[in-house]
Each structure stands twice: as C-alpha cells, then as structure tokens.
Amino acid sequence: LKEGLRIAAQIHHIDRQMVPNMRLAEAYIKKNELDSAIYYAKKADEIEKLGSNKEVELKATILLSEVYEAIEPVEALRYLKIANTIRDSIYSYDKLQSMNALRFEDKERQNELVAANLNYKNSIRQYALLAGIGGLLIIALVLFRHNRLKQKTNISLNDKTNKLENALSELKSTQSQLI
C-alpha cells in the first residue's frame, strides 16, 4: 500500500492517493495504532478535499470520527458533524437530481402526449378532407351523368321535333296539293 501511495503521489493522481491512505488508516485502527491511523485518515481527508468525490470524503471523515472516538470525544464529535453535513449535501444533491430527472421524464411524457394528440387531430383532418373530396367527386359524377342524360334527351327531342316539323310541313304541302 505504501509503495502504491508513493507512486500515486509522484503522478499526482488524487483518487489513487486517497484510497491507499484510507486502507492504511483502517489497517492501523485494527492494529490499535491510533496515531498512525489518525495520520493516514487526515491525509486521506486532506487529499479528498482537493478532489470532487463527496462519498469518499464522507468515508474519510467518518473514519476520523471513529479514530478520535476513543482518544478525544470532542474531536470525534466535530468530525461526526462534518460527516453529517457532507451526508446531507450528498443526499440532498441526489434528491435534487432525482427530482430533476422526474420533472424531465414528466415533461417528455407531456410532450409525447401533445405530439400524439396533434398526430390524431391531423389524421382526423386528413380523413375529413379525403371524405370531402370523395363527396365532391360523387356529386360531380352525378351532375356529369345528369348533364349527359339531359343532352341525350335534348338531342332525341330535337330529332323528334325535326321529324314532326318535317311531317307537318309534308302534311301542309300535301294538304295544299289536295286543295
């Protein structure tokens, strides 16, 4: 662990420095070497304050609180309060993120409903337009057929009128010959 810690310090990698310090502090707690445990736990806490991982900072602060619990209860209480503050900030941030995610999902669902409603209205308009065009076509066909029948009837009547006029003029000419 100490060799890994030395290499991580050389390359200035915060996370790789923090974890070995935490592990060393835990190992020294188990050995009941509290001074060394405090040293590595404080080092882990200081390194993590340079980083952005609040959960690891919370673990380091809780570890310091546990180490100081047997030696200096006042210091243990101070670290415990810090840990509570960090915990509150982590979980309130998580709640805020989950609320924002829920709001986003709700907005997405509402947008989808609006889009579905708009699509439904557009399809109804299209069907109404097609039905209107179909009705106009039917009316146009009926009028066209009616007009064609009327023209045929007029032609037929004109032929009959012409025949009658011819027959009448023949009758008049025959009558005038008879007289």
Side-chain angles (χ1 to χ4, degrees):
L1 283 174
K2 288 185 180 182
E3 180 64 22
L5 185 60
R6 187 185 60 75
I7 293 170
Q10 285 177 349
I11 62 171
H12 301 293
H13 196 282
I14 293 173
D15 287 335
R16 295 189 189 241
Q17 290 178 42
M18 220 296 299
V19 173
N21 278 310
M22 290 278 294
R23 298 285 185 255
L24 284 169
E26 290 169 352
Y28 282 119
I29 289 173
K30 287 179 184 174
K31 287 182 169 183
N32 205 20
E33 295 179 24
L34 299 180
D35 289 340
S36 297
I38 290 171
Y39 172 77
Y40 286 109
K42 279 187 175 182
K43 200 168 182 184
D45 188 47
E46 289 170 9
I47 291 169
E48 187 45 46
K49 286 182 181 172
L50 299 173
S52 61
N53 191 340
K54 290 286 187 187
E55 289 182 6
V56 177
E57 185 179 354
L58 176 64
K59 287 178 185 177
T61 309
I62 289 172
L63 185 63
L64 279 168
S65 172
E66 290 171 359
V67 171
Y68 275 115
E69 190 173 349
I71 303 169
E72 293 181 43
V74 174
E75 196 68 12
L77 182 61
R78 184 175 78 84
Y79 280 110
L80 192 58
K81 286 180 180 180
I82 293 170
N84 284 336
T85 304
I86 294 169
R87 185 179 296 120
D88 289 344
S89 71
I90 290 172
Y91 295 116
S92 66
Y93 179 74
D94 288 345
K95 287 179 185 176
L96 181 64
Q97 279 186 322
S98 65
M99 288 297 291
N100 285 339
L102 287 174
R103 284 185 191 132
F104 178 74
E105 289 172 6
D106 188 45
K107 187 133 182 127
E108 279 285 314
R109 196 171 338 110
Q110 286 177 353
N111 288 342
E112 288 173 4
L113 288 174
V114 168
N117 192 18
L118 187 62
N119 286 340
Y120 176 72
K121 286 181 180 179
N122 285 339
S123 64
I124 287 177
R125 286 181 187 143
Q126 286 176 343
Y127 291 135
L129 180 65
L130 289 174
I133 290 172
L136 289 175
L137 280 174
I138 291 172
I139 291 171
L141 287 173
V142 168
L143 289 175
F144 179 74
R145 185 172 185 271
H146 179 70
N147 194 21
R148 295 270 306 203
L149 285 174
K150 192 175 180 182
Q151 286 176 351
K152 285 182 183 178
T153 305
N154 283 341
I155 290 172
S156 174
L157 284 176
N158 283 339
D159 286 344
K160 288 180 182 177
T161 304
N162 286 340
K163 286 180 184 176
L164 282 175
E165 286 178 357
N166 286 341
L168 182 62
S169 63
E170 281 179 28
L171 269 175
K172 283 186 181 180
S173 73
T174 309
Q175 185 183 14
S176 61
Q177 287 174 0
L178 284 176
I179 302 193

